[in-house]
Amino acid sequence: MHRQALALFIGGAGDKKPYYLAGPYRNICCAQEPFDRRIVEAGQADGYQSLYLGYHEVWSASAIGRLVAAEIHDKDTPIYIVGHSLGAWSGAHLSQRLSEWGYRVEMLVTLDPVGSGLLVRLGSRIPYHRPAPLSHFWINVRAEPGRSNASDLVAQLGRKWHVAGEPDIDEALDTNHANAGAMFCNPLHDGHSAADCMFESIVGQLRG
């Protein structure tokens, strides 16, 4: 049987559509596009699909059914979720919902997750309650920049979601909140990036 793998890249506020008149910035695409190229270069494109979603598109069961579940080959398809900022909060909720529906969430990658602030919750289509992620493996990468920029202030206003002790890997990188590509692709302490871990997992799944 031909194996499949589905990767969901979920952007945060102002990523896929404007947020309070700012954006769209397409920050998560800086993680998705090089990763998709890497899959193609490895000759694995036939068994791989990736989707670009906004945090607001995985909020309701009907939207998840239409935009995500409809793209899943079968219940054995390994699913990989990469979320940034508010998209990480929504992606964590999505991992729980898909798992509860019987789908196989192989990996969750949360990039500097935001969503615990009241102002963000009131102005965004996200679940209010704290996520309870369900996946076989969870990587969380935090942005702890030596020099802050405007995106870091926005993240602080939205209130970062602190997940200490929960993920399988939880590390910080010296980069700004907006830099989803760096958080996904830059090496962590063991020399492997979150992208490396996800790539190796997907290739392993596709090769059986």
Side-chain angles (χ1 to χ4, degrees), residues 30-32 34-35 111 173 180-188 192-196:
C30 296
Q32 179 184 18
F35 190 82
L111 305 173
L173 288 174
M183 282 184 274
F184 188 55
C185 299
N186 287 6
L188 302 175
H192 282 74
S193 65
D196 290 335

PDB file of all heavy atoms in Angstrom, residues 30-32 34-35 111 173 180-188 192-196:
ATOM      1  N   CYS A  30       8.038  30.471   5.906  1.00  0.00           N
ATOM      2  CA  CYS A  30       9.505  30.400   5.978  1.00  0.00           C
ATOM      3  C   CYS A  30       9.958  29.081   6.604  1.00  0.00           C
ATOM      4  O   CYS A  30      11.131  28.715   6.504  1.00  0.00           O
ATOM      5  CB  CYS A  30      10.053  31.572   6.786  1.00  0.00           C
ATOM      6  SG  CYS A  30       9.736  33.185   6.029  1.00  0.00           S
ATOM      7  N   ALA A  31       9.047  28.393   7.239  1.00  0.00           N
ATOM      8  CA  ALA A  31       9.315  27.041   7.723  1.00  0.00           C
ATOM      9  C   ALA A  31       8.840  26.007   6.706  1.00  0.00           C
ATOM     10  O   ALA A  31       9.536  25.025   6.420  1.00  0.00           O
ATOM     11  CB  ALA A  31       8.612  26.816   9.066  1.00  0.00           C
ATOM     12  N   GLN A  32       7.662  26.246   6.148  1.00  0.00           N
ATOM     13  CA  GLN A  32       7.056  25.271   5.238  1.00  0.00           C
ATOM     14  C   GLN A  32       7.817  25.128   3.915  1.00  0.00           C
ATOM     15  O   GLN A  32       8.073  23.997   3.468  1.00  0.00           O
ATOM     16  CB  GLN A  32       5.606  25.666   4.946  1.00  0.00           C
ATOM     17  CG  GLN A  32       4.891  24.711   3.989  1.00  0.00           C
ATOM     18  CD  GLN A  32       3.493  25.175   3.646  1.00  0.00           C
ATOM     19  OE1 GLN A  32       3.158  26.353   3.841  1.00  0.00           O
ATOM     20  NE2 GLN A  32       2.663  24.277   3.169  1.00  0.00           N
ATOM     21  N   PRO A  34      11.024  25.741   2.726  1.00  0.00           N
ATOM     22  CA  PRO A  34      12.266  24.971   2.658  1.00  0.00           C
ATOM     23  C   PRO A  34      12.074  23.509   3.032  1.00  0.00           C
ATOM     24  O   PRO A  34      12.771  22.634   2.503  1.00  0.00           O
ATOM     25  CB  PRO A  34      13.204  25.685   3.641  1.00  0.00           C
ATOM     26  CG  PRO A  34      12.335  26.514   4.509  1.00  0.00           C
ATOM     27  CD  PRO A  34      11.129  26.848   3.704  1.00  0.00           C
ATOM     28  N   PHE A  35      11.124  23.241   3.922  1.00  0.00           N
ATOM     29  CA  PHE A  35      10.876  21.847   4.301  1.00  0.00           C
ATOM     30  C   PHE A  35      10.289  21.074   3.123  1.00  0.00           C
ATOM     31  O   PHE A  35      10.709  19.939   2.838  1.00  0.00           O
ATOM     32  CB  PHE A  35       9.942  21.776   5.505  1.00  0.00           C
ATOM     33  CG  PHE A  35       9.849  20.390   6.081  1.00  0.00           C
ATOM     34  CD1 PHE A  35      10.818  19.930   6.957  1.00  0.00           C
ATOM     35  CD2 PHE A  35       8.808  19.545   5.720  1.00  0.00           C
ATOM     36  CE1 PHE A  35      10.755  18.638   7.475  1.00  0.00           C
ATOM     37  CE2 PHE A  35       8.736  18.257   6.230  1.00  0.00           C
ATOM     38  CZ  PHE A  35       9.716  17.798   7.109  1.00  0.00           C
ATOM     39  N   LEU A 111       6.032  26.480  17.815  1.00  0.00           N
ATOM     40  CA  LEU A 111       7.069  27.499  17.692  1.00  0.00           C
ATOM     41  C   LEU A 111       6.624  28.759  18.429  1.00  0.00           C
ATOM     42  O   LEU A 111       5.719  29.466  17.995  1.00  0.00           O
ATOM     43  CB  LEU A 111       7.335  27.807  16.217  1.00  0.00           C
ATOM     44  CG  LEU A 111       7.689  26.589  15.331  1.00  0.00           C
ATOM     45  CD1 LEU A 111       7.771  27.001  13.863  1.00  0.00           C
ATOM     46  CD2 LEU A 111       8.993  25.932  15.786  1.00  0.00           C
ATOM     47  N   LEU A 173      15.818  29.316  21.452  1.00  0.00           N
ATOM     48  CA  LEU A 173      16.793  29.794  20.483  1.00  0.00           C
ATOM     49  C   LEU A 173      16.875  31.314  20.557  1.00  0.00           C
ATOM     50  O   LEU A 173      15.885  31.981  20.869  1.00  0.00           O
ATOM     51  CB  LEU A 173      16.408  29.379  19.060  1.00  0.00           C
ATOM     52  CG  LEU A 173      16.557  27.894  18.707  1.00  0.00           C
ATOM     53  CD1 LEU A 173      15.988  27.631  17.318  1.00  0.00           C
ATOM     54  CD2 LEU A 173      18.014  27.466  18.766  1.00  0.00           C
ATOM     55  N   ALA A 180       9.724  32.322  12.427  1.00  0.00           N
ATOM     56  CA  ALA A 180       9.309  30.918  12.478  1.00  0.00           C
ATOM     57  C   ALA A 180      10.296  30.017  11.746  1.00  0.00           C
ATOM     58  O   ALA A 180      10.540  28.883  12.165  1.00  0.00           O
ATOM     59  CB  ALA A 180       7.914  30.768  11.877  1.00  0.00           C
ATOM     60  N   GLY A 181      10.872  30.517  10.653  1.00  0.00           N
ATOM     61  CA  GLY A 181      11.819  29.715   9.885  1.00  0.00           C
ATOM     62  C   GLY A 181      13.041  29.345  10.706  1.00  0.00           C
ATOM     63  O   GLY A 181      13.504  28.198  10.676  1.00  0.00           O
ATOM     64  N   ALA A 182      13.579  30.305  11.453  1.00  0.00           N
ATOM     65  CA  ALA A 182      14.752  30.029  12.288  1.00  0.00           C
ATOM     66  C   ALA A 182      14.417  29.053  13.406  1.00  0.00           C
ATOM     67  O   ALA A 182      15.199  28.136  13.700  1.00  0.00           O
ATOM     68  CB  ALA A 182      15.307  31.323  12.867  1.00  0.00           C
ATOM     69  N   MET A 183      13.269  29.233  14.042  1.00  0.00           N
ATOM     70  CA  MET A 183      12.902  28.331  15.141  1.00  0.00           C
ATOM     71  C   MET A 183      12.727  26.897  14.656  1.00  0.00           C
ATOM     72  O   MET A 183      13.037  25.942  15.365  1.00  0.00           O
ATOM     73  CB  MET A 183      11.628  28.818  15.828  1.00  0.00           C
ATOM     74  CG  MET A 183      11.866  29.978  16.772  1.00  0.00           C
ATOM     75  SD  MET A 183      10.356  30.453  17.657  1.00  0.00           S
ATOM     76  CE  MET A 183       9.610  31.578  16.481  1.00  0.00           C
ATOM     77  N   PHE A 184      12.243  26.745  13.435  1.00  0.00           N
ATOM     78  CA  PHE A 184      12.011  25.415  12.880  1.00  0.00           C
ATOM     79  C   PHE A 184      13.298  24.794  12.327  1.00  0.00           C
ATOM     80  O   PHE A 184      13.532  23.594  12.497  1.00  0.00           O
ATOM     81  CB  PHE A 184      10.956  25.504  11.775  1.00  0.00           C
ATOM     82  CG  PHE A 184      10.474  24.181  11.248  1.00  0.00           C
ATOM     83  CD1 PHE A 184       9.963  23.214  12.102  1.00  0.00           C
ATOM     84  CD2 PHE A 184      10.494  23.917   9.889  1.00  0.00           C
ATOM     85  CE1 PHE A 184       9.494  21.998  11.614  1.00  0.00           C
ATOM     86  CE2 PHE A 184      10.035  22.708   9.385  1.00  0.00           C
ATOM     87  CZ  PHE A 184       9.531  21.749  10.246  1.00  0.00           C
ATOM     88  N   CYS A 185      14.136  25.607  11.701  1.00  0.00           N
ATOM     89  CA  CYS A 185      15.270  25.079  10.931  1.00  0.00           C
ATOM     90  C   CYS A 185      16.621  25.169  11.632  1.00  0.00           C
ATOM     91  O   CYS A 185      17.561  24.455  11.242  1.00  0.00           O
ATOM     92  CB  CYS A 185      15.364  25.799   9.584  1.00  0.00           C
ATOM     93  SG  CYS A 185      13.899  25.595   8.540  1.00  0.00           S
ATOM     94  N   ASN A 186      16.770  26.034  12.632  1.00  0.00           N
ATOM     95  CA  ASN A 186      18.073  26.176  13.277  1.00  0.00           C
ATOM     96  C   ASN A 186      18.329  25.029  14.254  1.00  0.00           C
ATOM     97  O   ASN A 186      17.414  24.538  14.900  1.00  0.00           O
ATOM     98  CB  ASN A 186      18.166  27.510  14.013  1.00  0.00           C
ATOM     99  CG  ASN A 186      18.310  28.678  13.054  1.00  0.00           C
ATOM    100  OD1 ASN A 186      18.239  28.526  11.834  1.00  0.00           O
ATOM    101  ND2 ASN A 186      18.491  29.863  13.603  1.00  0.00           N
ATOM    102  N   PRO A 187      19.595  24.610  14.378  1.00  0.00           N
ATOM    103  CA  PRO A 187      19.916  23.477  15.258  1.00  0.00           C
ATOM    104  C   PRO A 187      19.614  23.770  16.724  1.00  0.00           C
ATOM    105  O   PRO A 187      19.817  24.884  17.206  1.00  0.00           O
ATOM    106  CB  PRO A 187      21.426  23.271  15.052  1.00  0.00           C
ATOM    107  CG  PRO A 187      21.749  23.969  13.770  1.00  0.00           C
ATOM    108  CD  PRO A 187      20.788  25.105  13.654  1.00  0.00           C
ATOM    109  N   LEU A 188      19.160  22.736  17.411  1.00  0.00           N
ATOM    110  CA  LEU A 188      18.983  22.786  18.858  1.00  0.00           C
ATOM    111  C   LEU A 188      20.264  22.261  19.510  1.00  0.00           C
ATOM    112  O   LEU A 188      21.288  22.103  18.839  1.00  0.00           O
ATOM    113  CB  LEU A 188      17.754  21.968  19.248  1.00  0.00           C
ATOM    114  CG  LEU A 188      16.445  22.430  18.578  1.00  0.00           C
ATOM    115  CD1 LEU A 188      15.290  21.504  18.916  1.00  0.00           C
ATOM    116  CD2 LEU A 188      16.098  23.862  18.967  1.00  0.00           C
ATOM    117  N   HIS A 192      20.567  18.924  15.999  1.00  0.00           N
ATOM    118  CA  HIS A 192      19.406  18.649  15.158  1.00  0.00           C
ATOM    119  C   HIS A 192      18.372  19.754  15.345  1.00  0.00           C
ATOM    120  O   HIS A 192      18.123  20.190  16.470  1.00  0.00           O
ATOM    121  CB  HIS A 192      18.773  17.308  15.516  1.00  0.00           C
ATOM    122  CG  HIS A 192      19.498  16.127  14.980  1.00  0.00           C
ATOM    123  ND1 HIS A 192      20.699  15.697  15.503  1.00  0.00           N
ATOM    124  CD2 HIS A 192      19.203  15.278  13.964  1.00  0.00           C
ATOM    125  CE1 HIS A 192      21.106  14.631  14.836  1.00  0.00           C
ATOM    126  NE2 HIS A 192      20.222  14.354  13.888  1.00  0.00           N
ATOM    127  N   SER A 193      17.753  20.156  14.264  1.00  0.00           N
ATOM    128  CA  SER A 193      16.661  21.124  14.339  1.00  0.00           C
ATOM    129  C   SER A 193      15.333  20.386  14.444  1.00  0.00           C
ATOM    130  O   SER A 193      15.246  19.164  14.222  1.00  0.00           O
ATOM    131  CB  SER A 193      16.650  21.992  13.078  1.00  0.00           C
ATOM    132  OG  SER A 193      16.350  21.192  11.942  1.00  0.00           O
ATOM    133  N   ALA A 194      14.273  21.128  14.754  1.00  0.00           N
ATOM    134  CA  ALA A 194      12.933  20.544  14.724  1.00  0.00           C
ATOM    135  C   ALA A 194      12.625  20.017  13.329  1.00  0.00           C
ATOM    136  O   ALA A 194      12.018  18.956  13.174  1.00  0.00           O
ATOM    137  CB  ALA A 194      11.901  21.590  15.149  1.00  0.00           C
ATOM    138  N   ALA A 195      13.061  20.752  12.299  1.00  0.00           N
ATOM    139  CA  ALA A 195      12.850  20.314  10.920  1.00  0.00           C
ATOM    140  C   ALA A 195      13.569  18.994  10.651  1.00  0.00           C
ATOM    141  O   ALA A 195      13.035  18.116   9.958  1.00  0.00           O
ATOM    142  CB  ALA A 195      13.312  21.388   9.950  1.00  0.00           C
ATOM    143  N   ASP A 196      14.785  18.842  11.178  1.00  0.00           N
ATOM    144  CA  ASP A 196      15.525  17.588  10.999  1.00  0.00           C
ATOM    145  C   ASP A 196      14.749  16.419  11.606  1.00  0.00           C
ATOM    146  O   ASP A 196      14.623  15.353  10.985  1.00  0.00           O
ATOM    147  CB  ASP A 196      16.898  17.664  11.678  1.00  0.00           C
ATOM    148  CG  ASP A 196      17.859  18.607  10.987  1.00  0.00           C
ATOM    149  OD1 ASP A 196      17.698  18.858   9.780  1.00  0.00           O
ATOM    150  OD2 ASP A 196      18.780  19.108  11.669  1.00  0.00           O
TER     151      ASP A 196
END
